[in-house]
Amino acid sequence: MMDHRIALLSSGHQDFVTGMVDLSVRGLPPGYADGEFVFTRRGRQNDDGTWTAVPEGRSIRYSAIVALGVGTLTEQRQRAALAGDSLLDLVGNLIKRLPEVTGAGDAALICWAAAEAGHADLDLALNRLAELDAGGPIYTVEAAWALAALVAAGVTDGRAERARERLLAGLAGNRLYPHALGKGALVPRYRAHVGCFADQVYPLQALARLHAATGDAEALRAAEQVAEGICHAQGPQGEWWWHYDARTGSVVEGYPVYSVHQLSMGPMALLDLADSGGTAYVAEISKGLDWMIERPSFVLEELALTWRKEARADPRKLVRGVRAVATGVHQGMRLGVLDRIYPPVAVDRECRPYELGWLLYAWLSTCGQPS
């Protein structure tokens, strides 16, 4: 039986997504070592023009995201993705690492994964999240993950209410989300009005899941506002652009365009919204997939990975910074000459495990639907 999310697509898109799910299961084991996932698999070109992918580093955050994705698979496929380990093995290793976790976002992801995996030590993860998320300014992505984790864990006390209020307050007076919430100097003043794509999709997802769990109408309205904003700004080839003016919803800087946004994060948030009773943006999801389909060189079947992004070859992210300053001075100022000076011609040839983890979660998870 086809998963209900994939079944929303046309037959061609269904075949593509099913193939990408299979690729993700095959692509995870090469990045798995000693009970956790690497930070990245970096592409290196051989003398004959072929590519290899070299594992680098370790990442608790990416391991937790993979745990969420792998949790959507059958037990047999879970073990295939984890080189023989079980999902509870992976989540248990993450919980053991909690004392060294210093960021609320990482703790939230471990909570979320533990809740969905049904791990017996979920309370340990919730307690660590409470220690690290004690109020004050916070990055929008981490605030969204905290709410999603509490929803997944079934927490309904003051912690959940504070996480809800914080996320809803961050949208007040804005069209979309900025990069940080609360009073403080987490981001430079010149770009305080800018929010990236991740700053939109994770709150959208958390609010949709809150509505699915509790019937929170205000959360659904906020999720709908963000979804409509990113879909209105979607590029002509289906691009999910990178940086937005949170005040107006206009695009500050489109590039890089990330494979994970096209394949996973955009669909994941919008499908959670549809599952929770909100608008179904199937056309926009399909258009985003087309961006990948039209770039077959971004999918490497032989290595079971996708290249990370299409970007400008600008030094030190110059275009992004200049446009942030320009739109801070005058809303809507784009400085179009920068598009000609720095066209998007660079390809980032690496693949991070979370990209495959979110792909599984996007297409195989449920939100407000029977599992």
Side-chain angles (χ1 to χ4, degrees), residues 230-241 244 251 287-288:
I230 61 173
C231 288
H232 178 76
Q234 189 178 25
Q237 297 181 49
E239 301 97 335
W240 295 117
W241 296 126
Y244 306 83
V251 177
K287 194 174 178 181

Side-chain angles (χ1 to χ4, degrees), residues 195-202 230 240-244 261 265-266:
C196 68
F197 188 69
D199 296 324
Q200 316 314 320
V201 296
Y202 292 127
I230 61 173
W240 295 117
W241 296 126
W242 185 211
H243 278 118
Y244 306 83
H261 295 172
M265 287 167 53

Side-chain angles (χ1 to χ4, degrees), residues 47-307:
D47 292 340
D48 62 1
T50 60
W51 290 88
T52 56
V54 180
E56 295 181 1
R58 293 287 189 274
S59 175
I60 292 175
R61 172 173 294 193
Y62 294 169
S63 298
I65 292 172
V66 170
L68 286 166
V70 168
T72 65
L73 301 170
T74 63
E75 184 177 356
Q76 181 180 8
R77 295 192 91 189
Q78 287 177 7
R79 290 189 178 274
L82 298 176
D85 282 356
S86 71
L87 174 62
L88 289 177
D89 290 333
L90 173 57
V91 175
N93 289 334
L94 290 168
I95 290 174
K96 290 176 183 176
R97 300 284 299 277
L98 277 169
E100 66 191 78
V101 170
T102 59
D106 291 2
L109 287 168
I110 294 172
C111 282
W112 188 356
E116 295 210 353
H119 197 281
D121 289 330
L122 171 61
D123 284 346
L124 293 177
L126 286 169
N127 290 339
R128 185 59 174 154
L129 174 59
E131 292 172 0
L132 294 172
D133 185 14
I138 189 171
Y139 290 110
T140 301
V141 164
E142 295 190 332
W145 286 342
L147 179 59
L150 295 171
V151 170
V155 175
T156 57
D157 59 18
R159 291 173 294 175
E161 184 60 26
R162 288 190 294 272
R164 171 192 180 273
E165 290 297 326
R166 178 174 60 189
L167 209 55
L168 290 174
L171 196 59
N174 287 324
R175 184 68 184 82
L176 294 174
Y177 276 98
H179 192 54
L181 307 179
K183 295 180 180 179
L186 290 177
V187 296
R189 188 171 182 177
Y190 76 88
R191 58 157 296 169
H193 62 291
V194 176
C196 68
F197 188 69
D199 296 324
Q200 316 314 320
V201 296
Y202 292 127
L204 164 54
Q205 177 182 40
L207 293 166
R209 288 182 168 260
L210 176 62
H211 172 71
T214 67
D216 189 323
E218 188 177 0
L220 180 62
R221 285 194 296 272
E224 290 278 14
Q225 177 178 322
V226 176
E228 195 281 332
I230 61 173
C231 288
H232 178 76
Q234 189 178 25
Q237 297 181 49
E239 301 97 335
W240 295 117
W241 296 126
W242 185 211
H243 278 118
Y244 306 83
D245 188 327
R247 301 165 300 184
T248 66
S250 62
V251 177
V252 172
E253 163 56 0
Y255 289 92
V257 175
Y258 288 83
S259 297
V260 67
H261 295 172
Q262 306 298 131
L263 289 171
S264 310
M265 287 167 53
M268 177 174 70
L270 294 173
L271 288 166
D272 274 0
L273 177 64
D275 276 2
S276 70
T279 304
Y281 287 97
V282 178
E284 289 80 3
I285 291 169
S286 299
K287 194 174 178 181
L289 293 174
D290 286 337
W291 188 91
M292 285 294 299
I293 292 171
E294 291 164 6
R295 287 161 176 78
S297 64
F298 269 56
V299 179
L300 280 77
E301 287 286 346
E302 65 276 17
L303 296 178
L305 54 75
T306 58
W307 291 143

